[in-house]
Amino acid sequence: MSEPKFDEKELTVSLKKLILGFSPRLQNVSSTDEAQQVLLQLEELDENFHRYGFVKMLQSCIEEAVGPLIDEEITKQSNASSDLAFGQETAVNAITSKVLESQAFIGLAEDFKRSVSVACENLLTNYDQEFSNSLGGLPGTASRQDHQKKSEVLFSDGESSVGDSSSGHSTVFFNSEMLQTVTQNLVKRNPVEVRKSALRELSHLTGLLDVQSDVWKSIRSGLLDALMEPDDELWNMSLKVFGRGFSSNNCNKELYKALVEFLSSQFLPGSKAVGVLPKVKQDLDCRQSHVAKLMKAFHLLYEFQMQIPPRYSERSLEDILGVTLGLLACNLTTPSSSSPAGIASTVSPLNFFTLLDPKATWFVKLMHGHFGRSILLKLLEKHRSLVESCVCCFVEYSELWIRHCEKQTNENPLSHSESQKLTYTSAELNFAYFVHSVSILSRLLLFEQGRKFFPVVAKTGAEPVTLTSFLIALINFISRRPTALVQNEKNSEVETFDPAGLVTDLLKKLCMSEDICRKCICQDAVTSALFAPIKECLDKKSNNVSGVKQGESALNHVAELLSSIASSSCGRHHLLYGENQNVEAAPIHILVSYAKKAIDEESSCKTLVGNIIFVCRQLYSSCIGLLVMEKYHLHELLYTSWRAASREAENAATPTPTDNAVAMTSRDSRSKMQWEEMLLDNLLNFASTPKGLLLLQQTGALGECVSYMYSRYVRKLQVSKCEKFGYGYMMSQIASTAPGILALQNAGFIATVIKSLWGALEVVDDSPVVLAKSWPVTPIDKTSKKPFTNLINLLSSFLSIYEILGEKALPTQTEYSVRQAPDSVVGVLDRLVFVDSNAKISSLFNYEQSHVFGLRLLSIMTSCLDTLLLLETQYGFQAKLLQSQAENVIEGSKTVMIDMLSLERNYILVKTYLIGGPSERVIPSRTLPPGLNTSFSMTLFSSYPLPSDYVPNVSAKSSQKEDNELVRFLNETKKAELTPSWLEKCQKVFVGVLSSRADQILGNCFLDLLDRVVAANAQLQTEAIFSTSDYSVTDVALKNCKLSPVQLNGIQLTIRYGCHLKLLSSAKDAKEKLTQLIKKCTVYLQHQRLDHSNHWLQCLSPDRSVGFDWFVATIFLTTGGNADRSWKFLFKFSSMMTSAFVWMQRIHCSVHLPASLVQSGIPPVFFVTCHNIEYILQTELPHVYSTFKMSGFSPAQICQQWIRQCFWNYLDWSQICQYLALCIVLGADYQVYLCIAILKYLHRDLMQQMQDKNLIVFIKEEPIRDFHVENHIEYMQQLEKKFRSVVLVAMQNITKA
């Protein structure tokens, strides 16, 4: 690696050009400091910086000298990056250090310095020749002969521009002789006037002083001597020099250390100044000369602390902070002395500092960044007395606080009679000390190294204060509040420095950090102290649980802390389960008990009750919280209270003309309205979970809650103060159900979303446009993506679509106006999807983009097979799309013209015709392949059936003899009694075969397994929960049974799928058998359904068939089209609890469910299965749950769709059979575990799609590729061990009201 050689002449020329380039930027500088600052920022200020020849030469030399070394180090770091331990240097720092320490770089630097020095000497020697023409006329560019004149010192009685840029003076120059004279005049033995004159002269030169010079020590000594003098003018002039010097980078550190030395000397034992300082228990009078001087000096010290330059080196900052902490530690006694630790007998430097900065802003600033924090914490190890003094100050003040509370005096310790204080009482000194201590501790406790200062010895002979005991002391402090503060709580000054409020803020910062909350707060000892005032109110004999005004204020602080704890996942878990996972002894029970009593109490403070309920809401809005809190029926209590508040608000008194009466009535009315909205808001948040949505629907307040949500949604308000997102996720949850979508429609949600959508695609009104609308380059561009996502979010559930589209015909208009915007989903389908007339085409400004938008909407909607059948039955969309393709055929041929619309139609026609998993069908692309000479490889068509391009050849089931452990077990136990022990053995064998030879669980083996397991489960009371009489379907009933068009289309789809998989030999024969089987099941299930003829939900109408029975179709295909065997199995299986979740049609409007559940219109799969899926996601896969949350899409929506159609179109046939076997053999709860396993398997794709804002499109349209049940059985068994006691019990309890 050769060192570059510098050409002397070229370097001189390039350096001259660099100087000429930055010279104009130095014209207006007033000091050398300012000039230095400009040069340091030259790269940022000069856009031509990297074009200078000097800079290019330097870059070239560095690249040549150390470039290969940098490349080598980058390669090494890349290979070793996985081995770097946490906390080590980053790769960049490591590479930089290696290069800077290399011999090549050191040699380059030395050579470059020598060459630049030679070039500078040449320029200085030939100054007039080099620069006279170039810099002529510019200020400060005189010839060489003028340098002697400019070296003379110019003094002035006025202030120099070094210290004050506004004075108008220019930069001062001086020589060493004049500076020596000033130094000699500062000596203490000189007359006062001479010293004053020297200080006056020196004040102009502080920015140009050099601490390395010979005279610096003498100047420093003279300044300190001046500060010791009683003469006020001399003292002030000396302090002025310090102030001027602090603005300079040359000597500010040394001047600061000198000032600290002076202040430290004032507090040393034996000092004359100590004798005039007041005791801590006396008042501090700032009008006294000595106290006023100290206050000025400390104020100057504080200002320097607040403006420490960010460019300080680690050594410099360590020096400054070291002397600062040493000063603040002066005069603080230790626990071994007679006084308590941290409390000095006389006023200490810390007392002065706390008066100037009670909130410890200097400390907070230093703790903000890692650079300052690391140095400060290291130095605090040497000055532990400061931390001890803060803790001890809090302990002492809290004892005084508690005594004050017990006396219940009316004296306000915070009262101030003057706006600008010149005298501070002992109580005020202690209070400022307390505030400062709390502010410091609040920052220390946020960091692990800061928490290591505990335990702290507070008093002699007392036990050390541990971190836990200190937190408990903090909590006990806020639990009490003097009456005087309560009476003055509306005083803003008191509120700002409310001690309990300051401590509450400290604790809130700790609680809101996930890591700190888990390590420090989530302990039974801490939360017991926090719940003590609430428990005290509950234990009172009086029914007034709100307590007196004093307790009310304390409880508000407690509620704030509980809310902060509940905002973190570990905090919620602790409140619900406690430290020892004991649900019965968990803190939440105390909180809910208090909330229930306070709501019933008319005299209770509504603000306090609202804060307590908000904490409960943070818990019950999660699945894990609702699991624990459901038994308290808070939703019923909130609903009752809301109804009462609503009636009270309606019956409020009408204001009278009297001014006072109007004001009082207005306040009262506003208070009642706020109380009503608060109750409604908390009720609404039950809709955050599937089970909570059911509870809300059962109260009957869903419509009002959704209307309230809509009023906040249009104002773009967030869900709560602890929620970072809007109402998208909750809206998705509500839209998953039939009553929810109707409530959203009635509130105006759907109309608003459609209006937003139409505004993004077309024109809403004739309002003047400021900026021209950009021409879309993609079908779903940036402006229309959000409305598109919102609409498909609302239309993701079949039951919801059925409610708003069931039996709704398309508009029959012959003309459409370009200004006519749709206001319903049917209108959107008519205008954007079924664009089958010239009138519709003419009414669209952006026909192609809008039509493609509609086709994309149709594609996502038809990913749900029931929705596909509904839309095909009602609107015949396939025929419409085929007709459009036929109209796009090139004349004289059968080739369909390829364009954006024909490709989109082709995609939908293939997708909706052929059913199959990821490997069972070929879905065409929506776009052309890249490249000019590439062509679309698939065949476009204008009539069914599909071309062979889209139908892969699926091999038929192997005819070889099935031989595996499961087959042998079933054969060996054919005559065995089907006891629970047999079932347990069967489950173990099944899992073993599934893990090793899953492909063999098909055909007769699969059917025999299901039959035997169902027979065994029939003997278990926990499984056979539905009674089945010997009901037989008569021929008359079958003859009278008329299948709906949706069912007939579903049969056709099933037969096509079975023939494609070669499961059915004859399509015609199989169609007849499946039709009879569907009729028989329909008659059988209708016999067990409740009559809801007058119900407002269409899905509960007894004369309507809601969707197709995909489970029956699946069983029919597994039997190879054997209708008799299918019926026998289905009849036996209908008594099983598992049938309620695997066979959704079986439980629809069933008499076996409580009437309240049936009338809610929400199926058990949603409020049990989907609820537990979200519960486990929150517990086991929080990153996946957060992905859905941030996307505003509920996992319940897609899981409900998967289960409803038995994973058709998402999994291959073999995986579908294994899904059924899992649920029937191992238990219905495996339905939940399988969905969790799938979401875990997809987690990387889900997070990527969330970032691309495409999650809902991806998860609904894309099949689950390469997912194999056997690879995840072990994970599902782990979930079973953790959650079966919750999930399976919830499934077994669906028949209970």
Side-chain angles (χ1 to χ4, degrees):
M1 197 181 305
S2 62
E3 292 186 6
K5 302 299 181 181
F6 299 97
D7 182 86
E8 181 179 329
K9 183 177 180 180
E10 182 182 356
L11 186 61
T12 304
V13 172
S14 62
L15 184 59
K16 175 185 174 182
K17 291 182 179 179
L18 178 66
I19 294 173
L20 294 174
F22 65 66
S23 293
R25 299 185 180 277
L26 300 178
Q27 293 183 21
N28 299 322
V29 298
S30 56
S31 67
T32 55
D33 290 336
E34 191 174 346
Q36 182 182 1
Q37 184 71 18
V38 170
L39 293 179
L40 288 173
Q41 298 178 352
L42 191 60
E43 184 177 5
E44 303 174 15
L45 301 175
D46 193 345
E47 61 182 9
N48 297 317
F49 178 79
H50 290 280
R51 298 177 183 173
Y52 291 121
F54 182 83
V55 177
K56 290 181 179 179
M57 181 185 300
L58 181 59
Q59 289 174 340
S60 175
C61 293
I62 293 175
E63 177 64 29
E64 181 181 348
V66 296
L69 176 61
I70 293 174
D71 294 338
E72 181 182 347
E73 289 300 318
I74 290 175
T75 303
K76 289 181 181 179
Q77 291 295 333
S78 300
N79 296 334
S81 60
S82 59
D83 299 329
L84 287 176
F86 179 78
Q88 290 183 347
E89 292 181 324
T90 62
V92 174
N93 291 334
I95 295 172
T96 304
S97 300
K98 187 73 174 179
V99 172
L100 293 179
E101 295 170 1
S102 66
Q103 290 298 323
F105 183 81
I106 294 173
L108 170 67
E110 292 177 353
D111 188 34
F112 187 70
K113 288 178 183 178
R114 286 194 300 269
S115 301
V116 171
S117 297
V118 172
C120 290
E121 287 295 329
N122 291 336
L123 291 175
L124 289 173
T125 304
N126 305 298
Y127 182 84
D128 292 334
Q129 180 181 351
E130 295 287 349
F131 293 105
S132 59
N133 295 329
S134 302
L135 297 177
L138 290 177
T141 57
S143 65
R144 186 75 172 174
Q145 289 76 8
D146 296 332
H147 286 183
Q148 186 63 33
K149 287 184 178 181
K150 292 188 176 182
S151 299
E152 296 180 0
V153 181
L154 303 177
F155 290 115
S156 170
D157 292 336
E159 292 189 353
S160 162
S161 61
V162 173
D164 185 1
S165 62
S166 64
S167 61
H169 295 281
S170 60
T171 306
V172 177
F173 298 91
F174 61 94
N175 57 29
S176 57
E177 292 79 6
M178 296 303 298
L179 183 62
Q180 187 68 37
T181 302
V182 172
T183 305
Q184 292 173 358
N185 291 339
L186 281 176
V187 178
K188 185 176 182 180
R189 63 175 178 269
N190 290 325
V192 173
E193 293 301 323
V194 174
R195 295 167 68 188
K196 287 181 181 179
S197 176
L199 287 173
R200 189 178 299 109
E201 295 168 351
L202 187 62
S203 66
H204 299 293
L205 306 175
T206 51
L208 305 174
L209 290 177
D210 185 5
V211 297
Q212 304 296 331
S213 64
D214 297 334
V215 298
W216 166 249
K217 291 184 179 180
S218 301
I219 292 175
R220 184 178 186 276
S221 177
L223 290 173
L224 290 177
D225 290 339
L227 289 176
M228 296 294 184
E229 294 293 338
D231 187 283
D232 291 342
E233 186 179 358
L234 185 65
W235 192 93
N236 286 326
M237 293 180 68
S238 178
L239 193 66
K240 182 178 180 181
V241 173
F242 280 96
R244 289 287 186 86
F246 284 172
S247 64
S248 168
N249 289 335
N250 296 334
C251 58
N252 54 10
K253 184 180 76 171
E254 295 301 324
L255 283 172
Y256 180 84
K257 292 168 68 174
L259 182 60
V260 171
E261 180 181 333
F262 159 71
L263 290 172
S264 298
S265 67
Q266 302 299 297
F267 296 90
L268 292 176
S271 171
K272 295 181 181 180
V274 175
V276 298
L277 288 174
K279 304 295 182 182
V280 173
K281 295 184 178 181
Q282 299 174 350
D283 294 347
L284 181 67
D285 190 354
C286 295
R287 291 170 295 186
Q288 295 179 2
S289 174
H290 185 69
V291 175
K293 289 179 180 179
L294 288 178
M295 190 66 79
K296 287 182 180 179
F298 273 107
H299 187 270
L300 187 60
L301 203 73
Y302 166 69
E303 285 190 338
F304 181 82
Q305 279 290 333
M306 296 305 297
Q307 299 175 6
I308 292 180
R311 297 189 309 276
Y312 264 147
S313 66
E314 183 176 350
R315 178 65 181 274
S316 298
L317 185 60
E318 189 171 344
D319 288 345
I320 291 175
L321 293 182
V323 296
T324 304
L325 296 179
L327 170 64
L328 297 180
C330 286
N331 217 20
L332 294 178
T333 57
T334 62
S336 59
S337 63
S338 57
S339 300
I343 305 300
S345 57
T346 59
V347 174
S348 67
L350 202 53
N351 287 117
F352 282 94
F353 220 69
T354 56
L355 290 175
L356 292 169
D357 185 18
K359 292 287 188 75
T361 313
W362 69 277
F363 190 86
V364 173
K365 178 185 175 184
L366 287 168
M367 291 289 287
H368 180 70
H370 173 74
F371 178 67
R373 181 169 63 247
S374 59
I375 297 174
L376 182 58
L377 291 175
K378 181 174 70 174
L379 292 173
L380 279 177
E381 290 286 349
K382 302 177 183 178
H383 300 281
R384 294 183 68 92
S385 60
L386 277 173
V387 181
E388 292 173 355
S389 71
C390 291
V391 177
C392 299
C393 172
F394 174 80
V395 172
E396 292 243 331
Y397 196 89
S398 62
E399 293 175 355
L400 174 66
W401 178 265
I402 293 175
R403 288 197 299 270
H404 188 83
C405 294
E406 291 173 350
K407 292 179 182 179
Q408 290 295 316
T409 62
N410 290 324
E411 177 188 357
N412 184 357
L414 305 181
S415 60
H416 302 302
S417 56
E418 304 175 33
S419 58
Q420 295 183 349
K421 295 191 65 63
L422 295 176
T423 303
Y424 296 93
T425 64
S426 173
E428 290 167 343
L429 287 176
N430 288 333
F431 178 69
Y433 202 164
F434 163 80
V435 174
H436 193 269
S437 300
V438 169
S439 300
I440 288 179
L441 292 172
S442 68
R443 283 290 162 178
L444 276 180
L445 294 178
L446 287 176
F447 303 95
E448 186 173 359
Q449 191 175 348
R451 297 193 291 272
K452 289 181 180 178
F453 285 100
F454 289 87
V456 173
V457 179
K459 292 184 179 180
T460 306
E463 293 185 2
V465 178
T466 64
L467 179 58
T468 300
S469 60
F470 180 67
L471 291 174
I472 294 174
L474 290 171
I475 293 171
N476 291 335
F477 184 87
I478 67 172
S479 300
R480 297 178 179 273
R481 186 178 176 87
T483 306
L485 287 185
V486 175
Q487 294 171 349
N488 293 275
E489 62 184 355
K490 295 182 180 180
N491 187 319
S492 60
E493 185 178 6
V494 172
E495 185 178 352
T496 303
F497 290 98
D498 173 16
L502 294 173
V503 175
T504 302
D505 290 339
L506 184 159
L507 288 169
K508 282 170 64 177
K509 292 175 183 177
L510 299 180
C511 295
M512 296 184 75
S513 169
E514 188 85 21
D515 184 59
I516 300 174
C517 185
R518 181 177 60 257
K519 293 178 179 178
C520 305
I521 305 298
C522 295
Q523 303 176 29
D524 286 343
V526 176
T527 48
S528 295
L530 194 56
F531 277 90
I534 299 177
K535 195 173 181 181
E536 183 181 346
C537 289
L538 287 173
D539 293 341
K540 287 180 180 179
K541 294 182 180 180
S542 170
N543 291 328
N544 184 1
V545 298
S546 293
V548 296
K549 188 79 172 176
Q550 174 184 345
E552 177 184 303
S553 301
L555 289 175
N556 273 318
H557 286 305
V558 169
E560 284 186 60
L561 291 180
L562 290 175
S563 177
S564 300
I565 293 174
S567 64
S568 65
S569 58
C570 63
R572 285 193 297 271
H573 190 274
H574 180 73
L575 292 177
L576 293 168
Y577 293 98
E579 187 176 2
N580 299 319
Q581 305 300 309
N582 185 0
V583 181
E584 300 302 326
I588 184 59
H589 303 298
I590 300 174
L591 186 69
V592 177
S593 299
Y594 178 85
K596 292 181 69 175
K597 289 187 178 181
I599 291 174
D600 289 336
E601 197 174 282
E602 293 184 1
S603 61
S604 60
C605 172
K606 303 303 183 186
T607 303
L608 171 60
V609 177
N611 291 336
I612 295 293
I613 295 176
F614 182 78
V615 181
C616 296
R617 154 183 162 177
Q618 288 177 278
L619 299 174
Y620 67 65
S621 60
S622 65
C623 295
I624 187 174
L626 190 62
L627 176 68
V628 177
M629 300 175 63
E630 182 184 356
K631 62 182 180 181
Y632 289 101
H633 302 287
L634 261 182
H635 60 289
E636 296 177 356
L637 183 60
L638 289 173
Y639 172 75
T640 304
S641 300
W642 170 72
R643 278 300 182 198
S646 180
R647 287 193 296 270
E648 188 176 352
E650 291 175 358
N651 299 330
T654 304
T656 61
T658 309
D659 291 341
N660 291 336
V662 170
M664 291 180 61
T665 304
S666 177
R667 284 197 301 270
D668 183 60
S669 177
R670 186 165 56 251
S671 175
K672 290 178 180 178
M673 185 179 299
Q674 291 174 350
W675 172 245
E676 179 188 359
E677 286 189 356
M678 185 274 295
L679 291 171
L680 197 61
D681 193 24
N682 289 310
L683 256 181
L684 169 64
N685 277 265
F686 273 98
S688 299
T689 64
K691 183 62 177 291
L693 181 58
L694 171 70
L695 299 178
L696 177 59
Q697 164 63 7
Q698 289 178 326
T699 63
L702 179 60
E704 289 83 353
C705 288
V706 171
S707 296
Y708 171 76
M709 179 178 71
Y710 176 68
S711 67
R712 294 178 60 84
Y713 173 82
V714 293
R715 289 179 287 164
K716 301 185 184 302
L717 300 178
Q718 62 187 37
V719 178
S720 71
K721 59 184 179 183
C722 296
E723 285 276 357
K724 296 181 180 179
F725 306 103
Y727 284 96
Y729 186 84
M730 190 180 294
M731 183 176 69
S732 171
Q733 201 79 267
I734 295 173
S736 301
T737 64
I741 196 67
L742 285 183
L744 290 170
Q745 186 179 45
N746 295 334
F749 259 104
I750 296 179
T752 299
V753 169
I754 291 174
K755 182 179 180 181
S756 173
L757 179 153
W758 200 259
L761 291 175
E762 297 290 328
V763 177
V764 177
D765 52 36
D766 291 324
S767 301
V769 179
V770 179
L771 296 176
K773 191 173 180 180
S774 60
W775 187 261
V777 294
T778 58
I780 310 296
D781 63 351
K782 185 177 180 180
T783 59
S784 59
K785 192 163 191 175
K786 186 173 182 180
F788 177 75
T789 303
N790 288 338
L791 185 58
I792 59 179
N793 209 346
L794 292 172
L795 303 177
S796 289
S797 168
F798 167 70
L799 291 179
S800 300
I801 293 176
Y802 186 81
E803 284 300 318
I804 59 177
L805 289 182
E807 298 189 359
K808 298 288 194 309
L810 294 174
T812 55
Q813 291 182 237
T814 56
E815 294 183 0
Y816 295 86
S817 168
V818 292
R819 297 292 185 265
Q820 181 183 351
D823 58 359
S824 65
V825 177
V826 176
V828 171
L829 295 179
D830 180 53
R831 296 291 300 278
L832 298 182
V833 180
F834 309 129
V835 188
D836 53 0
S837 67
N838 291 330
K840 293 180 181 179
I841 295 175
S842 301
S843 67
L844 299 176
F845 279 105
N846 301 317
Y847 162 64
E848 285 199 352
Q849 187 211 13
S850 298
H851 191 23
V852 170
F853 183 99
L855 293 175
R856 290 282 174 95
L857 175 64
L858 176 64
S859 175
I860 295 176
M861 291 176 68
T862 53
S863 64
C864 172
L865 293 181
D866 279 317
T867 304
L868 184 158
L869 296 177
L870 178 67
L871 295 179
E872 173 60 20
T873 301
Q874 290 191 178
Y875 308 124
F877 71 87
Q878 289 179 334
K880 295 179 186 293
L881 296 182
L882 289 171
Q883 178 62 31
S884 297
Q885 292 292 75
E887 294 172 356
N888 215 31
V889 172
I890 301 174
E891 293 184 10
S893 69
K894 296 183 180 180
T895 305
V896 179
M897 187 184 302
I898 296 178
D899 58 19
M900 184 166 60
L901 291 174
S902 62
L903 289 179
E904 197 70 39
R905 287 191 291 260
N906 185 64
Y907 176 87
I908 297 174
L909 288 170
V910 174
K911 174 187 172 183
T912 58
Y913 182 83
L914 185 61
I915 301 299
S919 67
E920 296 168 349
R921 60 176 179 169
V922 177
I923 302 297
S925 173
R926 285 170 156 157
T927 58
L928 289 173
L932 296 176
N933 298 323
T934 56
S935 59
F936 193 69
S937 58
M938 311 296 286
T939 303
L940 272 64
F941 57 94
S942 59
S943 62
Y944 285 138
L946 296 178
S948 59
D949 304 13
Y950 305 101
V951 186
N953 186 22
V954 179
S955 59
K957 182 182 64 173
S958 175
S959 59
Q960 67 180 11
K961 185 178 180 181
E962 297 172 341
D963 184 20
N964 56 60
E965 189 178 351
L966 181 58
V967 173
R968 290 193 293 271
F969 173 78
L970 293 175
N971 291 334
E972 291 170 0
T973 59
K974 269 187 178 181
K975 298 181 180 180
E977 186 178 354
L978 301 179
T979 60
S981 60
W982 177 92
L983 182 60
E984 185 177 350
K985 292 178 183 178
C986 181
Q987 290 171 342
K988 290 181 180 178
V989 174
F990 167 73
V991 171
V993 175
L994 181 63
S995 303
S996 58
R997 306 177 68 180
D999 57 323
Q1000 294 192 8
I1001 306 180
L1002 290 171
N1004 291 327
C1005 173
F1006 173 77
L1007 296 173
D1008 291 344
L1009 174 66
L1010 296 191
D1011 288 336
R1012 302 282 290 281
V1013 169
V1014 167
N1017 281 331
Q1019 302 177 30
L1020 302 177
Q1021 292 183 353
T1022 55
E1023 182 64 27
I1025 63 175
F1026 303 128
S1027 60
T1028 55
S1029 58
D1030 294 332
Y1031 176 78
S1032 60
V1033 180
T1034 64
D1035 293 338
V1036 176
L1038 286 177
K1039 187 176 180 180
N1040 293 332
C1041 178
K1042 301 296 183 183
L1043 297 183
S1044 67
V1046 168
Q1047 290 174 312
L1048 294 175
N1049 281 333
I1051 291 172
Q1052 188 67 35
L1053 210 60
T1054 302
I1055 299 303
R1056 192 181 302 135
Y1057 184 38
C1059 293
H1060 173 58
L1061 296 178
K1062 298 183 174 59
L1063 297 173
L1064 304 176
S1065 57
S1066 171
K1068 183 178 180 181
D1069 184 50
K1071 182 176 180 181
E1072 293 178 1
K1073 292 180 179 179
L1074 181 56
T1075 302
Q1076 289 299 111
L1077 180 62
I1078 292 290
K1079 284 186 176 182
K1080 191 175 293 188
C1081 291
T1082 301
V1083 172
Y1084 173 67
L1085 295 178
Q1086 283 182 346
H1087 175 70
Q1088 301 182 32
R1089 285 178 179 166
L1090 292 172
D1091 184 9
H1092 294 285
S1093 303
N1094 299 323
H1095 203 278
W1096 52 282
L1097 290 174
Q1098 292 191 69
C1099 62
L1100 297 183
S1101 178
D1103 57 342
R1104 293 184 183 180
S1105 175
V1106 182
F1108 182 66
D1109 201 328
W1110 300 104
F1111 179 76
V1112 171
T1114 304
I1115 295 298
F1116 179 77
L1117 293 184
T1118 60
T1119 62
N1122 190 331
D1124 292 336
R1125 185 169 187 178
S1126 300
W1127 166 248
K1128 290 178 182 179
F1129 170 79
L1130 291 168
F1131 181 77
K1132 293 178 182 178
F1133 183 63
S1134 64
S1135 66
M1136 302 292 108
M1137 177 269 294
T1138 307
S1139 67
F1141 299 95
V1142 179
W1143 187 3
M1144 288 190 67
Q1145 290 288 345
R1146 190 264 172 278
I1147 209 65
H1148 179 65
C1149 294
S1150 175
V1151 295
H1152 301 297
L1153 293 180
S1156 59
L1157 288 182
V1158 176
Q1159 292 173 0
S1160 70
I1162 302 177
V1165 164
F1166 182 78
F1167 67 80
V1168 178
T1169 299
C1170 295
H1171 180 83
N1172 282 293
I1173 288 171
E1174 292 195 9
Y1175 161 57
I1176 297 177
L1177 279 179
Q1178 292 174 13
T1179 307
E1180 295 292 306
L1181 303 171
H1183 59 291
V1184 175
Y1185 178 77
S1186 298
T1187 299
F1188 281 99
K1189 187 87 170 179
M1190 288 187 286
S1191 297
F1193 180 62
S1194 165
Q1197 282 196 348
I1198 188 61
C1199 292
Q1200 184 179 215
Q1201 179 176 317
W1202 286 343
I1203 294 167
R1204 183 175 188 87
Q1205 61 195 50
C1206 295
F1207 289 94
W1208 283 32
N1209 272 2
Y1210 289 100
L1211 294 177
D1212 287 337
W1213 177 250
S1214 60
Q1215 305 303 310
I1216 293 173
C1217 293
Q1218 290 170 23
Y1219 154 69
L1220 294 180
L1222 277 177
C1223 298
I1224 296 173
V1225 177
L1226 299 182
D1229 52 333
Y1230 269 79
Q1231 183 182 68
V1232 174
Y1233 310 144
L1234 179 66
C1235 291
I1236 295 294
I1238 292 174
L1239 293 174
K1240 181 175 182 289
Y1241 171 76
L1242 294 173
H1243 78 279
R1244 293 187 183 277
D1245 293 328
L1246 295 177
M1247 287 190 285
Q1248 181 61 51
Q1249 295 297 329
M1250 181 271 294
Q1251 293 176 2
D1252 297 339
K1253 299 181 179 179
N1254 201 46
L1255 175 65
I1256 186 171
V1257 177
F1258 167 80
I1259 202 166
K1260 285 187 71 67
E1261 286 221 86
E1262 288 296 316
I1264 306 167
R1265 303 180 189 278
D1266 300 322
F1267 179 84
H1268 300 285
V1269 174
E1270 62 267 23
N1271 296 336
H1272 303 272
I1273 184 64
E1274 184 178 350
Y1275 175 67
M1276 288 187 272
Q1277 287 181 309
Q1278 294 173 4
L1279 294 177
E1280 177 199 345
K1281 292 178 181 178
K1282 285 186 179 181
F1283 301 104
R1284 168 159 277 192
S1285 59
V1286 173
V1287 179
L1288 195 59
V1289 170
M1291 289 180 161
Q1292 293 168 347
N1293 290 337
I1294 62 169
T1295 58
K1296 300 177 182 178

